[in-house]
Amino acid sequence: MSIDTVQDCLYGTSIYTDAQKLAHRLFNEVATDVILKYEDYDDISNLNDEGREEVRQRWAPFLEMLPEYENVCEDILNENSNSHIE
């Protein structure tokens, strides 16, 4: 579920059929937060090394609890997400 906090309304839903797809969405949201922080970048493909390191640091607490999804994170960084698309 996505909520627009400016207009205070629900604007979309997604159905995830397996844990890998949900993990991809959630880890991708963390990466997007970092991308939005840097004005010079519009997606992960052109994020610099500093930005990529920040993404990894933000993922670290989650991966400590869920190490089995490390491959999902590497797929996001390598833009190899076809196997996780909703």
Side-chain angles (χ1 to χ4, degrees):
M1 174 170 57
S2 299
I3 299 173
D4 183 336
T5 57
V6 175
Q7 296 180 8
D8 197 27
C9 64
L10 173 69
Y11 64 88
T13 59
S14 298
I15 297 172
Y16 299 95
T17 56
D18 63 48
Q20 289 277 35
K21 290 178 183 177
L22 177 59
H24 182 271
R25 172 65 188 265
L26 297 175
F27 283 112
N28 197 51
E29 287 293 323
V30 173
T32 299
D33 287 346
V34 175
I35 293 165
L36 292 174
K37 178 180 166 183
Y38 293 91
E39 294 179 3
D40 295 339
Y41 304 105
D42 56 2
D43 65 28
I44 200 136
S45 68
N46 56 16
L47 195 60
N48 65 16
D49 290 340
E50 179 184 338
R52 287 174 177 268
E53 183 56 33
E54 184 173 344
V55 169
R56 284 187 176 96
Q57 288 174 357
R58 290 188 186 199
W59 282 340
F62 303 107
L63 288 174
E64 284 180 23
M65 294 181 284
L66 303 164
E68 64 272 23
Y69 296 108
E70 188 170 350
N71 66 321
V72 172
C73 295
E74 290 308 312
D75 285 347
I76 292 169
L77 285 177
N78 296 321
E79 297 182 271
N80 182 24
S81 59
N82 291 336
S83 62
H84 306 293
I85 293 176
E86 304 115 47

